[in-house]
Amino acid sequence: MTNTPFPHEPSAADAQAAIADEFGFFGDWSERYQYLIDLGRKLPEFPDAWKTEEHRLQGCQSLVWIVAEGDAGRLDFHSISDSAIVSGLVYLALRVYSGRSAAEIIATEPDYIASIGLSKHLSPTRSNGLAALLAFIRERARAALPE
């Protein structure tokens, strides 16, 4: 199932810059949270058959499922959450990393988190969940690289 809208931008760096620009339009965090919720609604359909313990992301308080497909040349990630805000966080991570090469994923630090002020406005449980999501993505990228 490689039906994915990602990547939108030609590189992970471009995706991070676009995210920073978009979040810069909002004056306060209530607007930014609403935008996160709206982004989460744009996640592509995630098959119910994938909502299994095998695909469940550990380390999240919310239910998050994630599936990786591809190889070192291109990794696609499919993910969904039962939480509206967490789905928005998933969307941002997939926008930066999905559809990229393993090397680009590993070389790209998630700078968008600090640049939009997200790190200061997430609860500790959401921060832990986001860290677990990013760790999963990076681990799959490392595993895809030839030895």
Side-chain angles (χ1 to χ4, degrees):
M1 177 188 174
T2 313
N3 181 18
T4 175
F6 303 107
H8 292 205
E9 292 82 13
S11 72
D14 291 333
Q16 293 197 83
I19 289 167
D21 287 348
E22 290 165 15
F23 275 80
F25 288 121
F26 301 107
D28 64 34
W29 267 93
S30 65
E31 292 174 343
R32 289 178 180 199
Y33 280 127
Q34 185 56 55
Y35 185 58
L36 264 179
I37 291 167
D38 292 343
L39 289 176
R41 290 185 183 126
K42 292 180 179 182
L43 283 171
E45 185 129 350
F46 191 85
D48 285 338
W50 284 358
K51 291 181 182 176
T52 64
E53 200 57 34
E54 174 190 357
H55 299 301
R56 185 158 171 238
L57 184 66
Q58 300 305 310
C60 289
Q61 184 175 1
S62 301
L63 292 174
V64 176
W65 295 273
I66 186 164
V67 173
E69 292 183 313
D71 56 27
R74 180 185 169 116
L75 285 167
D76 290 296
F77 296 92
H78 310 275
S79 187
I80 196 82
S81 173
D82 67 340
S83 161
I85 289 177
V86 174
S87 287
L89 298 174
V90 165
Y91 183 94
L92 292 178
L94 297 187
R95 183 170 172 185
V96 172
Y97 295 107
S98 189
R100 313 270 181 218
S101 70
E104 184 177 11
I105 292 168
I106 292 167
T108 304
E109 292 297 322
D111 297 331
Y112 71 95
I113 296 169
S115 72
I116 65 174
L118 198 54
S119 48
K120 296 176 192 161
H121 290 90
L122 289 180
S123 67
T125 55
R126 284 201 179 115
S127 290
N128 290 343
L130 180 56
L133 175 66
L134 295 170
F136 176 93
I137 290 169
R138 294 172 78 80
E139 173 53 37
R140 288 304 180 276
R142 273 191 286 282
L145 287 174
E147 304 227 354

